[in-house]
Amino acid sequence: MSLLHRLAGHTFFLKLVFAFCGIIVAAMTFTAIFVSNGMANRLINTEAKYEYELAEKFQTEMDEHLINIHDAFTQAYLPGDLGLSISDMLHKQEGTQRRNTSIQMQLQNICKSNLEITDMMIIAENNDVFFCSNVKYRDVVPTSQLIQSQTIQTMRQFSTNRVQLFRNYVPDYISGVEKEKLEPVASLYMSLYNLNEIQDKYKLGTMVMNIDLERMGEQILEKLQDMRGSLLMLDQEGYVYFDSKDEHTANTRTELLSEPMTNVDENIINRFPSEQTNMMYLNIVEKGDIIKNVRAIQLDVVKYIALFIGMTLLTSILVIRVFMKRIYRLIRHMRFLQSGSFNHEIKISSNDELGYLEISFNKMQEKLQHLVEVEYLSQIKMKTLELNALQAQINPHFIFNALESIKVLSLGEQHQNAAKMISLLGKMIRWNLHESEMMIPIESEIRYLQYYLQFQNIRYMHALQIELDIMKEASPFVIPKLSLQPIVENCIHHGAAYTSGKVTIKISIHVTNGMITIKIADNGIGMKPDKLAQIREKLAKNEQSHHLYHIGLSNVHQRNQLLFGEAYSIHIHSEWNEGTVVVITLPAMIKEEFDV
């Protein structure tokens, strides 16, 4: 049996292995889903019951604290050091020092006996103020400011001897603490009367106790560390005094009083109404938090399934690896070839069918490498021929224009100027013969351009004004021969030929970040938008212009792209009656770099 047939057999075996693994995976997946769903329901019920028990403990302990604070009000009617209660001493109305001291001491005893009380205060009807706090450095503002507090005024307006609860607010009447650091409190308050003469309904004052329900609730929650859900304490109107997650504190959420009790789609809600305090306690548990544990179990199941599948696949791979190793090697070498690398020859290990494929691959690689080298060299030769043709086209074009200029001067009997022009033309021809390389130094190109400008200045009767700005750092770099003269020739043609005044030509060469930027600007007649667009389009398409003065421009553009790539093109900016700017960008290269 040939190797190809054996591979085919092992491929079929591999399919069977994967099919077998797929059946096992499907069976174990369905089992895991069935088991985990049942586990999720049981876990949800168990967690809901546990949360319910924790919430009951929270309610019981919170109610105890509130009842203890509520009972502290009765101590205002119990006898103190002088055998009199606070209400009795307030009834005397005498402002003796002994009386005030006794009231203050009795108030401190009540306050210190219950640490859940933050501040405690009595405001007599005659505006005497007695204050005590379980928080260091806290005091009350002067009486004149205290009685102006909107909160205090609201409390003093009530005339009942039943304890009332004032909703969370910031006690701005507290001093000794920066205002921005004051925490919100709830206040229990009650009007004080003389019990012996209560029928007279003569109010003695108002007793206020500030309590920090948030701190109180957090202290209780510290004992219930395993609680997942949130706990809320609301009054019968839905006002939230405490929220363990601080999402609804100091807000009215009446909808929480009427939502379904349990097993809603997203949450489990348990309610605990308190008959002792008239408060409603809510325990809200997100099912997602409970299901996270189920997900962890499911993840463990998936890990075991993955481990089983991995072991099965590993065994299968080890069985067929011997047969597939050589195919993988052949594929790897094909990828090398695809990326353009021809230097990875396969070592022939046998004379079987795979060995024949390896021999064929090596031969194909050799042929492809030969074809690529031939094609590359052909492209280089073609570009060289095109460059030579373009260069040959520029030279006759200039000589034609030069002879025309000398002819005009000779006919006008300006023999001295014609002689100077012939001398300059000779220098330019000698320069052209001497500079036989394609790339020449920038300073040599500028020297030739100066000959050319002197030549044209005679022709146009010194109507040209030249401004050169050549960066010194540009001297060692080379540019294509005759890159500037054809463009300057266009500037002269569109300037001197159509302008009566001086024609200014500015030539600047700068080197920045490895790039040579050549800018040639004139104040000539410029070009209209449609003409400018036409020239730009021809340059973009590398079309050869047939206009006499555009031959040089298009040739320079094509030559630059052949030498350096399409990114190095000529950019033209022009406005009618304003002038033209031509920008050439070339890589900053010395001659040795170009030759390489």
Side-chain angles (χ1 to χ4, degrees):
M1 183 183 293
S2 67
L3 181 60
L4 292 176
H5 286 86
R6 291 199 298 270
L7 286 173
H10 284 289
T11 303
F12 177 72
F13 172 73
L14 184 62
K15 291 179 181 178
L16 286 179
V17 170
F18 278 110
F20 178 71
C21 292
I23 293 172
I24 295 178
V25 170
M28 296 188 69
T29 301
F30 284 121
T31 302
I33 292 174
F34 178 77
V35 172
S36 61
N37 285 339
M39 187 183 301
N41 292 330
R42 288 194 297 272
L43 186 58
I44 288 173
N45 293 333
T46 302
E47 289 286 346
K49 182 179 179 181
Y50 183 67
E51 287 283 324
Y52 186 91
E53 293 173 354
L54 292 178
E56 274 190 328
K57 292 180 181 179
F58 179 86
Q59 177 207 7
T60 301
E61 195 161 343
M62 181 64 86
D63 279 353
E64 288 178 0
H65 287 306
L66 292 176
I67 291 171
N68 290 337
I69 296 171
H70 183 276
D71 291 344
F73 279 95
T74 62
Q75 299 181 39
Y77 295 100
L78 297 178
D81 295 339
L82 299 179
L84 298 174
S85 66
I86 292 177
S87 63
D88 293 336
M89 287 184 283
L90 287 174
H91 182 63
K92 285 186 174 183
Q93 296 293 322
E94 293 104 358
T96 64
Q97 183 66 30
R98 184 179 180 186
R99 168 236 188 203
N100 291 345
T101 303
S102 180
I103 292 174
Q104 183 66 36
M105 290 180 61
Q106 200 161 339
L107 184 67
Q108 287 179 348
N109 290 335
I110 297 172
C111 184
K112 300 299 181 183
S113 66
N114 197 326
L115 296 180
E116 276 76 22
I117 299 174
T118 303
D119 310 300
M120 192 169 179
M121 178 170 51
I122 295 176
I123 308 170
E125 288 300 293
N126 63 356
N127 291 334
D128 285 344
V129 178
F130 304 92
F131 178 81
C132 178
S133 178
N134 282 322
V135 182
K136 287 184 178 181
Y137 311 117
R138 285 170 76 102
D139 203 348
V140 71
V141 298
T143 303
S144 59
Q145 298 181 30
L146 176 66
I147 61 177
Q148 295 297 323
S149 171
Q150 186 66 38
T151 307
I152 298 299
Q153 290 181 5
T154 302
M155 294 180 186
R156 296 183 73 187
Q157 288 175 0
F158 285 86
S159 300
T160 177
N161 63 343
R162 296 183 60 185
V163 177
Q164 305 291 323
L165 179 60
F166 198 93
R167 294 176 175 176
N168 291 350
Y169 70 98
V170 177
D172 56 355
Y173 51 80
I174 296 295
S175 64
V177 181
E178 297 180 13
K179 296 297 182 184
E180 59 272 10
K181 293 184 178 180
L182 283 172
E183 298 291 339
V185 296
S187 292
L188 294 171
Y189 62 97
M190 181 184 73
S191 298
L192 296 176
Y193 292 88
N194 186 350
L195 294 180
N196 296 324
E197 301 177 5
I198 195 169
Q199 65 275 8
D200 295 337
K201 296 183 179 180
Y202 179 73
K203 183 178 177 181
L204 301 176
T206 302
M207 190 173 184
V208 180
M209 291 184 186
N210 294 337
I211 55 176
D212 189 344
L213 291 175
E214 183 176 355
R215 181 174 61 85
M216 191 184 307
E218 289 175 353
Q219 289 176 349
I220 298 173
L221 284 175
E222 287 179 0
K223 304 174 185 177
L224 310 175
Q225 296 179 356
D226 295 332
M227 177 166 280
R228 295 180 182 277
S230 59
L231 276 167
L232 289 80
M233 185 176 74
L234 305 83
D235 60 18
Q236 297 301 318
E237 297 176 358
Y239 181 83
V240 181
Y241 286 93
F242 172 76
D243 180 0
S244 60
K245 293 189 176 179
D246 202 24
E247 295 176 351
H248 309 293
T249 305
N251 293 318
T252 301
R253 300 295 304 274
T254 55
E255 71 276 6
L256 295 176
L257 300 175
S258 58
E259 286 185 357
M261 289 294 292
T262 57
N263 294 328
V264 294
D265 292 338
E266 297 181 356
N267 300 320
I268 299 175
I269 302 177
N270 296 313
R271 290 189 178 83
F272 307 90
S274 174
E275 296 180 357
Q276 294 175 309
T277 60
N278 288 327
M279 289 290 182
M280 175 69 76
Y281 293 88
L282 269 70
N283 171 224
I284 303 176
V285 184
E286 294 184 6
K287 286 186 178 180
D289 291 340
I290 300 175
I291 293 176
K292 284 180 182 177
N293 290 337
V294 180
R295 295 287 183 265
I297 297 174
Q298 289 175 330
L299 182 60
D300 289 337
V301 173
V302 170
K303 287 180 181 177
Y304 286 118
I305 293 175
L307 179 61
F308 176 78
I309 295 173
M311 293 177 63
T312 304
L313 291 177
L314 180 61
T315 304
S316 304
I317 291 172
L318 290 175
V319 172
I320 64 172
R321 184 184 179 189
V322 177
F323 303 98
M324 300 297 293
K325 184 176 180 181
R326 292 169 64 191
I327 292 179
Y328 292 151
R329 183 177 62 178
L330 182 59
I331 292 173
R332 185 170 63 253
H333 282 76
M334 286 181 177
R335 288 175 179 168
F336 287 142
L337 185 61
Q338 185 179 6
S339 64
S341 177
F342 300 96
N343 300 320
H344 298 275
E345 183 177 353
I346 301 177
K347 293 182 179 180
I348 310 302
S349 57
S350 65
N351 295 322
D352 55 16
E353 286 80 356
L354 276 179
Y356 177 76
L357 289 176
E358 292 168 348
I359 294 172
S360 300
F361 175 83
N362 289 338
K363 290 181 178 180
M364 179 185 67
Q365 182 175 248
E366 291 177 3
K367 289 182 179 180
L368 285 175
Q369 185 176 8
H370 176 71
L371 289 174
V372 169
E373 290 176 353
V374 170
E375 179 67 18
Y376 178 75
L377 292 175
S378 297
Q379 288 291 331
I380 296 297
K381 291 179 180 179
M382 185 179 297
K383 286 191 175 184
T384 303
L385 291 175
E386 290 178 358
L387 288 173
N388 292 335
L390 290 174
Q391 187 67 61
Q393 193 175 16
I394 290 175
N395 292 337
H397 171 226
F398 169 70
I399 294 174
F400 171 79
N401 289 336
L403 293 175
E404 282 292 321
S405 300
I406 295 172
K407 172 186 173 183
V408 171
L409 291 177
S410 298
L411 292 176
E413 297 184 355
Q414 298 183 34
H415 304 296
Q416 186 175 359
N417 286 335
K420 290 181 180 179
M421 291 180 72
I422 292 172
S423 175
L424 290 169
L425 179 60
K427 291 180 179 180
M428 286 186 281
I429 292 174
R430 282 194 299 273
W431 177 91
N432 200 17
L433 294 174
H434 179 263
E435 296 290 356
S436 58
E437 298 290 336
M438 179 65 66
M439 302 294 290
I440 64 172
I442 290 178
E443 57 183 358
S444 179
E445 179 76 10
I446 295 299
R447 184 167 61 253
Y448 175 81
L449 186 62
Q450 289 174 337
Y451 293 153
Y452 173 78
L453 289 172
Q454 292 177 33
F455 182 93
Q456 294 290 16
N457 228 356
I458 297 173
R459 177 185 176 188
Y460 290 103
M461 302 179 67
H462 302 283
L464 303 178
Q465 180 176 344
I466 310 301
E467 297 180 8
L468 297 178
D469 178 17
I470 313 298
M471 182 184 288
K472 291 182 179 179
E473 289 79 0
S475 299
F477 299 114
V478 294
I479 61 175
K481 181 180 176 182
L482 293 178
S483 292
L484 306 182
Q485 182 268 331
I487 299 172
V488 172
E489 184 176 5
N490 281 344
C491 295
I492 296 173
H493 171 72
H494 293 287
Y498 298 98
T499 305
S500 57
K502 281 269 187 183
V503 176
T504 301
I505 299 176
K506 299 179 180 180
I507 302 171
S508 66
I509 301 178
H510 293 268
V511 180
T512 307
N513 297 326
M515 301 294 293
I516 300 174
T517 302
I518 303 172
K519 185 182 294 185
I520 302 172
D522 66 70
N523 63 343
I525 194 171
M527 287 182 279
K528 294 182 179 180
D530 55 342
K531 184 64 176 178
L532 178 61
Q534 181 182 1
I535 294 176
R536 285 176 174 174
E537 182 180 2
K538 286 187 176 182
L539 290 178
K541 294 181 178 179
N542 277 327
E543 293 181 1
Q544 181 66 53
S545 175
H546 299 290
H547 191 281
L548 182 61
Y549 290 98
H550 294 162
I551 291 176
L553 181 66
S554 61
N555 283 351
V556 170
H557 172 76
Q558 291 180 33
R559 183 175 59 177
N560 289 347
Q561 289 198 332
L562 282 171
L563 285 170
F564 308 112
E566 294 184 0
Y568 298 93
S569 58
I570 291 179
H571 299 278
I572 304 175
H573 309 277
S574 182
E575 292 187 14
W576 183 245
N577 289 327
E578 293 293 332
T580 302
V581 178
V582 178
V583 180
I584 303 174
T585 304
L586 299 173
M589 302 172 64
I590 60 176
K591 189 175 185 304
E592 288 76 12
E593 291 177 322
F594 180 80
D595 291 340
V596 173

